[in-house]
Amino acid sequence: MVSTFHGLELGKRGLSVGQASIATTGQNIANVNTKGYSRQQVNSSSSPSLDIWTGQGAHTGQLGTGVTIDSITRVRDRFLDQQVRDHSETLGQWQAKQTTLDRLETIVNEPSDSGLSSAMDGLKNAWQDLANEPDSLSAQAVVKERAQGFIDVAQSMNKSLDSLKSELTQQSTETVAEANGYLKQIAELNKSIVRDGSQSNDLKDKRDALVEDLSKLMSVKVEEKANGSYSISLASNNQALVTGEAVSEITAEDATNTPQKFGGKLAGLGESLNTATKYQTNLTTVVRDFVQANGMSGTGGKDQALFIGDAANFKLSELKVNYEADPLEQQAATGKTIATAQSDFRKLVSQLGAESQSATNSVANHSAALQATENRRQSVTGVSLDEEMANLIKYQHSYNAAARLVSMTDQMLDTIINRMGS
């Protein structure tokens, strides 16, 4: 025999699910503009049925007992999450490279009237003027003046390259510290999620946001365990970074020596440091060849070459003009070797321009790919106000219907208890 109060239990369960659905919808609406928030939904199912005697021999029937809430979960697509992380990692790497190449273009400053190429031309023209007027004291002075101007430009570029390399090394150290901070926070959230239960939706949102921030710095692989915790490892070699509450921090030395295994911004900074070093080496070679063509010796004096420097162990920062030199002794320097040095510098400038353009295009392409993937993910996990408002009306009707069932059952019980007895 079914209890007379069965209808109240049915209504109560319907009210509970309706109330939870309305509250969850309200939570979604309230967080429509919250960065990193995942749309939530109430998952419900029929509660276990009751076996009842139907009067049909030994067989029994089943009577529904209403609905029950199974869980309130986030709507996420793990495949799209991983795609977003992959695009973020690649974009972070190219952005670091693009920024460095932009700085290099500013340092090289070509084409311009104040760059190294112009300084080379100025000295070369001064030599030619001196060849036309070998007895002109002013022409001799101009050669030395232009030589000093060339050195000033070259040494300024070299100093700027030193500063850029120092900045890149510092950025790498700071990025490692930032990445380790994310790893520690993820481990703390793992601990909280395991303690509070695997359906800690808000904590999971915070953790996913941290993982995405981490993916901009390096390429990571994410595995979710049965207890809800994340295991984080490097994608390149499966090096464990976070296992439950345990964290294996990365070191600045490792990031500097082997940046490629990290990917992301760390790899970009490592590649940028190598690029800056390459262009500084090429610049040093160009300057050395140019001054050797103009005459360079290790000592000063009237009978010595125009430039003072160590040819065997050439250092651009130590290059000087020999103001005691007699420029007339160096007139043959305006020949083929100077043209070769200038050609090498033009090749350097062209290569830098090509690399910078390639980096700019890569950043634009990967930004577009990331945005497209993010849009696809938002169509799944993002909050749509139109959809939530439609759900709100639907759940309100469901709640009202359950309330009407309770009210009707109450009237039936009133009839049975208070009226039939009299």
Side-chain angles (χ1 to χ4, degrees):
M1 177 95 182
V2 180
S3 170
T4 308
F5 293 93
H6 182 67
L8 287 177
E9 183 64 23
L10 285 173
K12 185 195 79 172
R13 293 184 178 182
L15 288 171
S16 296
V17 173
Q19 187 176 22
S21 298
I22 292 172
T24 301
T25 302
Q27 170 78 351
N28 290 339
I29 293 173
N31 287 280
V32 64
N33 294 317
T34 301
K35 184 179 179 181
Y37 178 79
S38 302
R39 178 168 59 91
Q40 298 180 15
Q41 65 181 14
V42 176
N43 303 309
S44 59
S45 63
S46 297
S47 55
S49 301
L50 293 176
D51 291 334
I52 61 170
W53 180 67
T54 61
Q56 304 296 321
H59 299 287
T60 60
Q62 289 190 327
L63 183 65
T65 59
V67 66
T68 186
I69 298 176
D70 295 327
S71 61
I72 300 177
T73 57
R74 304 180 305 155
V75 180
R76 300 286 295 196
D77 187 319
R78 293 183 182 178
F79 175 73
L80 290 175
D81 286 343
Q82 186 59 52
Q83 280 196 320
V84 168
R85 288 193 288 265
D86 290 343
H87 288 310
S88 295
E89 178 265 325
T90 306
L91 179 60
Q93 183 174 354
W94 277 107
Q95 284 177 330
K97 293 165 67 174
Q98 181 196 29
T99 300
T100 298
L101 289 166
D102 286 345
R103 286 283 306 278
L104 285 171
E105 285 192 307
T106 301
I107 292 171
V108 172
N109 191 29
E110 293 289 347
S112 75
D113 295 332
S114 58
L116 191 66
S117 181
S118 177
M120 287 178 171
D121 288 336
L123 180 55
K124 182 178 179 179
N125 293 335
W127 279 119
Q128 293 174 343
D129 291 340
L130 181 60
N132 295 331
E133 298 181 85
D135 296 330
S136 172
L137 294 179
S138 62
Q140 295 180 30
V142 169
V143 168
K144 295 177 182 179
E145 179 187 343
R146 297 286 174 80
Q148 184 61 56
F150 169 78
I151 289 179
D152 291 342
V153 173
Q155 289 182 340
S156 176
M157 290 173 61
N158 188 60
K159 184 176 180 181
S160 296
L161 287 168
D162 283 335
S163 297
L164 176 59
K165 289 164 62 178
S166 297
E167 289 176 19
L168 290 171
T169 301
Q170 181 63 28
Q171 283 184 47
S172 182
T173 301
E174 292 173 353
T175 302
V176 167
E178 184 181 4
N180 285 330
Y182 289 146
L183 294 175
K184 292 176 183 177
Q185 293 180 66
I186 291 170
E188 286 296 322
L189 285 170
N190 275 344
K191 179 180 179 181
S192 299
I193 289 169
V194 172
R195 181 192 64 218
D196 297 345
S198 60
Q199 294 183 20
S200 306
N201 296 327
D202 292 338
L203 295 178
K204 284 188 172 183
D205 280 346
K206 292 180 181 179
R207 184 178 62 183
D208 282 337
L210 289 171
V211 171
E212 289 186 18
D213 288 337
L214 179 65
S215 69
K216 298 174 185 177
L217 309 184
M218 57 179 159
S219 181
V220 294
K221 184 169 63 176
V222 182
E223 181 182 359
E224 186 171 6
K225 300 298 184 180
N227 61 2
S229 67
Y230 273 178
S231 288
I232 311 290
S233 59
L234 276 178
S236 61
N237 60 3
N238 293 321
Q239 176 184 331
L241 300 173
V242 176
T243 304
E245 302 175 25
V247 177
S248 299
E249 296 187 14
I250 61 176
T251 65
E253 181 180 7
D254 197 14
T256 301
N257 294 335
T258 56
Q260 284 301 325
K261 80 174 184 179
F262 290 97
K265 184 178 179 180
L266 283 173
L269 290 172
E271 292 174 359
S272 295
L273 183 59
N274 292 335
T275 299
T277 301
K278 177 187 71 174
Y279 279 106
Q280 187 175 37
T281 300
N282 292 342
L283 172 67
T284 300
T285 300
V286 166
V287 172
R288 182 197 64 199
D289 292 345
F290 185 78
V291 296
Q292 283 181 334
N294 282 274
M296 181 176 69
S297 63
T299 59
K302 188 174 182 61
D303 297 330
Q304 300 298 322
L306 178 62
F307 291 100
I308 301 174
D310 187 349
N313 185 27
F314 183 76
K315 293 182 180 179
L316 204 163
S317 60
E318 297 177 357
L319 185 65
K320 297 178 181 179
V321 173
N322 180 14
Y323 283 96
E324 298 296 323
D326 184 357
L328 293 175
E329 298 294 328
Q330 307 297 328
Q331 288 186 30
T334 60
K336 183 176 179 182
T337 309
I338 288 182
T340 300
Q342 289 181 300
S343 176
D344 289 341
F345 183 67
R346 285 194 291 270
K347 289 179 182 178
L348 181 152
V349 173
S350 298
Q351 181 182 6
L352 176 58
E355 285 191 49
S356 180
Q357 185 61 49
S358 175
T360 299
N361 292 339
S362 295
V363 168
N365 292 336
H366 289 295
S367 294
L370 176 60
Q371 187 60 55
T373 305
E374 178 61 26
N375 290 341
R376 289 171 56 200
R377 184 172 68 167
Q378 283 299 314
S379 68
V380 175
T381 194
V383 177
S384 167
L385 286 178
D386 291 339
E387 182 180 353
E388 297 301 326
M389 293 305 295
N391 286 338
L392 191 60
I393 294 173
K394 178 176 68 175
Y395 297 142
Q396 183 182 15
H397 285 316
S398 175
Y399 184 86
N400 290 340
R404 184 63 183 269
L405 175 60
V406 171
S407 177
M408 183 187 67
T409 304
D410 178 64
Q411 292 175 7
M412 292 170 57
L413 290 172
D414 178 65
T415 299
I416 293 171
I417 297 171
N418 296 322
R419 298 182 186 180
M420 292 181 66
S422 60

